[in-house]
């Protein structure tokens, strides 16, 4: 009987510790930074949302200029920031960054400074290369001699195949 009580108390202590640990390290995990869309072209607008940043802050990256994050208000009849996650110290800050037109394609990190606390989310979003619209996609050289030879061979094969089909149909009518 004593072993059962000791086991129950130990299990309750482990459960309480396990449930409180994620709240204690909320600012250590990069999952609190959200960048949408996660794939964006140069010149596009990126919305950055940070949980647990009650008073706002600044977001920086190599792909955009430093961007101010403003606290999200609880107006409009809904719950406030505390109602979103249930904690008294929680809050959300949001800002919009414009991706530099000369940003190279690839993944980028976002670093947030919020009330003196700094957090980085690695590979938060990816910049993609733009296409050259209006000139046939991303190519500027046009058809190569190999492309012309392949196309000509396909056209010739179609003409020969059509001629053979026509000649066979014509021969079938005579019989």
């Amino acid at each position: 009987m004593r072993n059962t009580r000791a086991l129950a108390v130990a299990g309750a202590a482990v459960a309480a510790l396990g449930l409180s640990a994620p709240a204690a390290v909320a600012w250590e995990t990069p999952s609190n930074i959200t960048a949408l869309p996660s794939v964006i072209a140069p010149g596009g607008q990126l919305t950055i949302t940070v949980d647990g940043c009650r008073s706002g802050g600044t977001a920086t990256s190599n792909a955009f200029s430093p961007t101010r994050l403003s606290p999200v208000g609880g107006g409009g009849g809904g719950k406030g920031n505390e109602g979103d996650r249930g904690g008294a110290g929680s809050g959300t800050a949001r800002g919009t960054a414009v991706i530099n037109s000369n940003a190279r394609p690839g993944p980028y990190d976002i670093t947030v400074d919020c009330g003196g606390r700094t957090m980085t989310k690695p590979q938060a979003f990816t910049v993609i290369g733009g296409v050259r619209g209006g000139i046939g996609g991303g190519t500027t050289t046009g058809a190569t001699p190999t492309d012309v030879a392949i196309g000509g061979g396909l056209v010739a094969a179609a003409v020969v195949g059509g001629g053979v089909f026509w000649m066979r149909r014509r021969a079938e009518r005579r019989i």
Side-chain angles (χ1 to χ4, degrees), residues 85-142:
R85 293 188 10 147
S90 67
T92 302
R94 185 173 294 143
T96 302
V98 178
I99 304 300
N100 296 333
S101 60
N102 61 350
R104 293 185 176 268
Y108 285 89
D109 302 346
I110 294 178
T111 300
V112 173
D113 181 12
C114 182
R117 295 179 290 185
T118 302
M119 179 174 53
T120 300
K121 181 171 184 178
Q123 299 182 358
F125 64 98
T126 303
V127 175
I128 57 173
V131 288
R132 305 183 88 178
I135 58 170
T139 182
T140 59
T141 59

Side-chain angles (χ1 to χ4, degrees), residues 41-82:
Q45 290 188 344
L46 183 72
T47 301
I48 303 162
T49 306
V50 182
D51 291 337
C53 189
R54 201 173 186 149
S55 60
T58 305
T60 57
S61 176
N62 291 335
F64 56 81
S65 302
T67 301
R68 176 84 179 119
L69 302 174
S70 301
V72 177
K79 296 186 212 175
N81 289 337
E82 292 78 23

Side-chain angles (χ1 to χ4, degrees), residues 9-22:
V9 170
V14 168
L17 180 63
L19 292 174
S20 65

